[in-house]
Amino acid sequence: QVQLVESGGGLVQAGGSLRLSCAASGRTFSSYVMGWFRQAPGKEREFVAAISWSGGNTYYAVSVKGRFTISRDNAKNTVYLQMNSLKPEDTAVYYCAASKKYVIATINNEYDYWGQGTQVTVSS
């Protein structure tokens, strides 16, 4: 069982930056693929970024590639999402998730544990 708690959301102007954190409980954090998803009002939850167990492999949605960076610190049981050059269309609730898959997962149902989400609002 893994419990995930996101933090770092908030209100930022377009072009600004935020760093989200996701703290995980449990001693097996390093064995999970970790991902970030987001859900805007009236839209389905969508994949944002994912990182492998070791942090050596990452994958991004086209809409955020080059602006967002996912990273993890297995010693701290934490995964991060650095978001730069934010746009109003990045406004959403951002969720952290953990997957037992052996490879990077990009689909909702490939993830086994979810956090409660943190709101990110980008004003124009």
Side-chain angles (χ1 to χ4, degrees), residues 3 15 48 65 73 87 97 112 124:
Q3 292 185 325
V48 175
K65 195 170 185 179
D73 185 338
K87 305 175 182 180
D112 302 283
S124 57

Side-chain angles (χ1 to χ4, degrees), residues 15-36:
S17 299
L18 281 175
R19 188 175 84 153
L20 305 183
S21 298
C22 173
S25 65
R27 293 177 290 179
T28 59
F29 173 76
S30 61
S31 65
Y32 290 94
V33 166
M34 298 299 296
W36 285 96

Side-chain angles (χ1 to χ4, degrees), residues 1-116:
Q1 187 77 12
V2 175
Q3 292 185 325
L4 304 171
V5 179
E6 302 98 333
S7 62
L11 174 64
V12 64
Q13 289 188 332
S17 299
L18 281 175
R19 188 175 84 153
L20 305 183
S21 298
C22 173
S25 65
R27 293 177 290 179
T28 59
F29 173 76
S30 61
S31 65
Y32 290 94
V33 166
M34 298 299 296
W36 285 96
F37 289 76
R38 66 187 182 186
Q39 187 167 19
K43 295 187 176 181
E44 293 187 353
R45 189 174 300 187
E46 65 175 2
F47 170 78
V48 175
I51 189 166
S52 61
W53 304 344
S54 67
N57 292 312
T58 57
Y59 190 79
Y60 298 91
V62 171
S63 58
V64 307
K65 195 170 185 179
R67 300 187 297 123
F68 291 10
T69 302
I70 188 171
S71 61
R72 67 190 296 163
D73 185 338
N74 287 341
K76 295 182 178 180
N77 280 13
T78 302
V79 63
Y80 304 97
L81 185 68
Q82 177 67 44
M83 304 186 296
N84 298 329
S85 302
L86 282 161
K87 305 175 182 180
E89 51 263 44
D90 293 317
T91 295
V93 177
Y94 283 71
Y95 297 91
C96 169
S99 172
K100 298 177 182 178
K101 295 286 186 181
Y102 291 109
V103 295
I104 284 183
T106 63
I107 301 173
N108 291 5
N109 62 14
E110 294 180 314
Y111 284 80
D112 302 283
Y113 304 102
W114 293 83
Q116 82 290 348

